[in-house]
Amino acid sequence: MATPTPDRALPLRERKKQRTFRALADVALARFTERGFDEVTLEEIVDEVEISKRTFFRYYSSKESVALAAEAELWLAYVAEFTATDLHGDVLTALRTALTTAITGMDEDWPRRFLATRRLVAGHNGLRKHSLVMAAHHQEQIVEQLEAKLGRDGREDVRLRLLGEIVFGAYRVGAKNWTAGRGKGAGSRGKGGRATLSARVGEAFDAVSDAVALAAD
Amino acid sequence: MATPTPDRALPLRERKKQRTFRALADVALARFTERGFDEVTLEEIVDEVEISKRTFFRYYSSKESVALAAEAELWLAYVAEFTATDLHGDVLTALRTALTTAITGMDEDWPRRFLATRRLVAGHNGLRKHSLVMAAHHQEQIVEQLEAKLGRDGREDVRLRLLGEIVFGAYRVGAKNWTAGRGKGAGSRGKGGRATLSARVGEAFDAVSDAVALAAD
DNA sequence: AAGAAAATGGCACCGAGTGGCAGTATGCCA
DNA sequence: TGGCATACTGCCACTCGGTGCCATTTTCTT
């Protein structure tokens, strides 16, 4: 399951690599979900995929990063989507649309893997760390794109970086609600996962200006 | 240097602990700055402070966390400050004021240590990780305070968490500019460090609504 | 002065991650 | 089709951060 035949057109070596790459992520996610991130050793995963530990580190840079493969895919898609967007009108809206588009465009079984990933992240400090850093990394790429598209320098115009923070902040809020809001096992079927996540993220974006304007008393 | 006599009123045991705690942070920051985070081993630090490795981990939970002691102090002060604030009127402004107040209220030599810390963070992935997680942790505490003060639940009212994201986002933007914006060696003298940082963070907050409203074309 | 409580030290140990090199598979070209 | 160059992989030894356990020392209390 979840190890679709890699693109037939690619050279043999490349296909093999893709399969290993994917198999590692799948096996790791399964074991981590079953028994917890800390309780599963790298050796175990590596044995199951029949690969040496040394080779593992040529595919993934750390134990954490293999656990977060699904999230990494999303960021890759988002950066690609936004890069391909041409910007006019409201910038925050454009950033938002690219994100929801990326989400709804993910694989069939991505929501299942992503949900499992988010649950791992929610319960483990080291994974949370890695997840934040990964997001921050792609946030920088988004800001670079913004600079390019707007012809402005983020070091002078604070707003670009702020937009980055806001976009990824809204994402975190939306994703958190999505992860918390569904009973066990749901999200594995259909495209409901993607649409719902997209909706949650949308709600977060909607609330941004209200949040800024929020008053006590 | 930078190891002020701990409060005389405290019991001896407590004073000793504080001194060790502080000595570890100082020595660590010095060595890391001299030779880089990865090139300094824990054993080295521990030897210099004349403490066992085992004991080190009763003071700091990781090698990273001792490097980020100065940043931790800021978050502690911020949470305390905001907790003591009573909320009325614009919430974002209150959050912002508490932060700048916390900054300007830091130790005399805090800016020096904090600047050194930020430079380490800027050049090291693992440290960036830890720094982000630490911020996220205190962000949660701030949101909890918000919930308490406003009598609302962050799971229902998305705006509370969004405010958390925005505040810490603005902080990151401001702090980044502050760190980048000063020549070598500056920031060690006077209270300039604190005032300037506070100003940079302020600028970031000022730009939030402009960022949200930013339009292309 | 004595004993409880807290802090420390020392050790053995685990597992993630790396460097280096030898072996093996794959792609390419004659 | 054979053979060579170039990935890619496996193995091994090693470093270092981090933890569990228990004995020892230090501080607080009365």
Side-chain angles (χ1 to χ4, degrees):
Chain A
M1 74 168 177
T3 309
T5 323
D7 192 337
R8 268 316 194 101
L10 259 43
L12 178 59
R13 191 183 271 169
E14 224 44 46
R15 275 185 275 162
K16 207 172 175 178
K17 283 210 288 181
Q18 277 195 26
R19 259 204 312 270
T20 308
F21 193 78
R22 187 59 190 265
L24 280 171
D26 286 340
V27 168
L29 189 55
R31 299 296 153 266
F32 289 156
T33 301
E34 285 170 12
R35 309 196 341 258
F37 184 76
D38 287 329
E39 279 61 45
V40 179
T41 74
L42 261 191
E43 223 187 337
E44 232 175 304
I45 297 169
V46 146
D47 282 354
E48 188 167 343
V49 184
E50 292 180 299
I51 232 177
S52 77
K53 198 178 69 164
R54 196 66 190 81
T55 298
F56 170 87
F57 285 102
R58 292 182 181 115
Y59 282 88
Y60 291 94
S61 58
S62 67
K63 188 185 177 186
E64 283 84 9
S65 76
V66 70
L68 298 180
E71 200 171 21
E73 286 170 35
L74 173 62
W75 295 132
L76 223 58
Y78 179 37
V79 171
E81 180 67 35
F82 185 68
T83 303
T85 302
D86 61 63
L87 213 50
H88 43 53
D90 194 59
V91 179
L92 185 55
T93 303
L95 285 160
R96 166 195 179 151
T97 305
L99 180 52
T100 52
T101 304
I103 290 172
T104 48
M106 298 303 288
D107 275 4
E108 182 73 18
D109 74 317
W110 179 83
R112 181 191 57 82
R113 299 188 294 128
F114 185 64
L115 179 57
T117 303
R118 292 307 300 175
R119 288 199 173 133
L120 284 177
V121 169
H124 192 282
N125 232 309
L127 281 176
R128 185 152 46 229
K129 247 191 262 195
H130 212 90
S131 168
L132 282 169
V133 168
M134 183 185 283
H137 176 70
H138 292 88
Q139 181 178 326
E140 277 167 29
Q141 299 191 8
I142 293 289
V143 172
E144 278 168 28
Q145 281 300 315
L146 267 181
E147 292 183 314
K149 287 177 194 293
L150 293 172
R152 286 205 185 85
D153 185 343
R155 276 164 305 192
E156 290 162 13
D157 191 338
V158 209
R159 298 175 297 177
L160 306 195
R161 286 192 188 146
L162 274 172
L163 276 168
E165 296 286 349
I166 291 168
V167 168
F168 280 74
Y171 159 78
R172 278 187 288 270
V173 171
K176 187 165 192 167
N177 283 341
W178 179 76
T179 308
R182 38 190 46 245
K184 64 246 144 123
S188 45
R189 51 179 183 277
K191 55 165 54 178
R194 283 166 290 183
T196 317
L197 173 56
S198 177
R200 290 288 112 75
V201 171
E203 290 160 16
F205 273 96
D206 281 334
V208 167
S209 25
D210 287 354
V212 171
L214 184 61
D217 282 344
Chain B
M1 77 169 175
T3 309
T5 325
D7 191 339
R8 268 315 192 104
L10 257 46
L12 177 61
R13 192 185 272 166
E14 223 45 43
R15 273 185 275 161
K16 209 171 171 179
K17 282 209 291 182
Q18 278 194 26
R19 257 202 315 270
T20 308
F21 192 78
R22 186 58 189 264
L24 281 171
D26 286 341
V27 168
L29 188 56
R31 298 297 153 265
F32 290 155
T33 301
E34 285 170 15
R35 307 191 350 252
F37 184 77
D38 287 329
E39 279 62 44
V40 179
T41 74
L42 260 193
E43 222 185 337
E44 232 175 306
I45 297 167
V46 146
D47 282 353
E48 188 167 343
V49 184
E50 292 181 298
I51 232 176
S52 78
K53 198 179 69 168
R54 198 62 191 81
T55 298
F56 171 87
F57 284 102
R58 293 184 179 110
Y59 283 87
Y60 292 94
S61 58
S62 67
K63 188 186 179 185
E64 283 84 9
S65 76
V66 70
L68 299 179
E71 200 170 22
E73 286 169 35
L74 174 62
W75 295 132
L76 222 57
Y78 179 37
V79 171
E81 181 67 35
F82 184 68
T83 303
T85 302
D86 62 65
L87 213 51
H88 44 51
D90 195 58
V91 177
L92 185 56
T93 304
L95 285 160
R96 165 195 179 153
T97 305
L99 179 53
T100 52
T101 304
I103 290 173
T104 48
M106 298 303 288
D107 274 4
E108 182 72 17
D109 75 316
W110 178 82
R112 181 191 58 81
R113 299 189 293 129
F114 184 63
L115 179 57
T117 304
R118 291 308 301 175
R119 287 203 175 131
L120 283 177
V121 170
H124 191 283
N125 232 311
L127 280 177
R128 185 151 48 230
K129 241 193 262 195
H130 213 91
S131 167
L132 282 169
V133 169
M134 184 185 283
H137 176 69
H138 292 89
Q139 181 178 326
E140 278 168 28
Q141 298 191 8
I142 292 289
V143 172
E144 279 169 28
Q145 282 300 315
L146 267 181
E147 292 183 314
K149 288 177 195 295
L150 293 171
R152 286 206 183 84
D153 185 342
R155 278 164 301 193
E156 291 162 13
D157 190 339
V158 209
R159 296 175 298 175
L160 306 196
R161 285 191 188 147
L162 274 172
L163 276 168
E165 296 286 349
I166 291 169
V167 167
F168 279 75
Y171 158 77
R172 278 188 288 269
V173 171
K176 187 165 192 169
N177 282 342
W178 178 76
T179 308
R182 40 195 39 247
K184 65 246 145 125
S188 45
R189 53 180 183 277
K191 54 166 55 178
R194 284 166 289 182
T196 318
L197 173 56
S198 177
R200 289 288 111 77
V201 171
E203 289 161 16
F205 274 94
D206 281 334
V208 168
S209 26
D210 288 353
V212 171
L214 185 61
D217 283 345

